[in-house]
Amino acid sequence: MRDSQPLENGMLSNKIQTAINQQINEELFSAYVYLAMAAEADRLGLPGFSNWFKMQYQEELGHADRFFNYVLERDAQVELLPINQPEINDESALTLFEKALNHERHITQCISGLKDLAKSESDHATDVFLEWFVNEQVEEEANAQQVIDQLRLVDGNPNGLFMIDRELATRTAAPDA
Ligand code: OFO
């Protein structure tokens, strides 16, 4: 495998293979973060929030799976790296979603970095493959921001929190996660 340019037979360059394996790890870490958030929301007595985070956990596993399958499709090598422990302790409903938004902003940067790399390596297939994630990140940031806005609006009012919890309880896993 060459260091920079993709091979003629469709294999990934080493740089792209390494970067996508790192992204598989980022997505699995994302799943871990949301699973920790689901547990924390349950501890707070917010089953709807817990459900929302659990659904997001499943979506993140789906993201990892997309990258995993792509590496295999390109006849490259998957490397599964160690997953860090999420730092989710003594949170409130608001800090959970603020952390979720910050985390998604970080993932957006990762996807942008991958896009830049695909372009610099003239890997058009990877560039096109990443389009789905570019759009997904717009949605993920907007979803977290929407709940933050609602939480700021109710400002800790228990009735308001109860209403938001009921709404978040209705979230089901996205079919294309
Ligand atoms: Fe939350 O989008 Fe993947 O990581």
Side-chain angles (χ1 to χ4, degrees), residues 24-95:
I24 291 173
N25 185 263
E26 290 280 0
E27 300 297 343
L28 291 174
F29 177 65
S30 298
Y32 237 39
V33 166
Y34 285 113
L35 192 61
M37 288 179 170
E40 185 71 352
D42 185 79
R43 189 188 66 77
L44 292 170
L46 295 167
F49 280 73
S50 186
N51 170 69
W52 195 96
F53 289 125
K54 195 75 186 290
M55 293 300 114
Q56 189 61 35
Y57 153 74
Q58 288 176 7
E59 278 207 16
E60 300 300 349
L61 291 179
H63 295 172
D65 215 37
R66 275 178 186 257
F67 282 109
F68 174 90
N69 290 335
Y70 183 70
V71 172
L72 297 186
E73 271 174 20
R74 294 294 301 274
D75 203 16
Q77 205 163 343
V78 166
E79 188 184 2
L80 296 177
L81 304 166
I83 304 168
N84 290 331
Q85 183 174 19
E87 287 180 22
I88 304 297
N89 302 301
D90 292 326
E91 308 292 342
S92 67
L94 183 57
T95 64

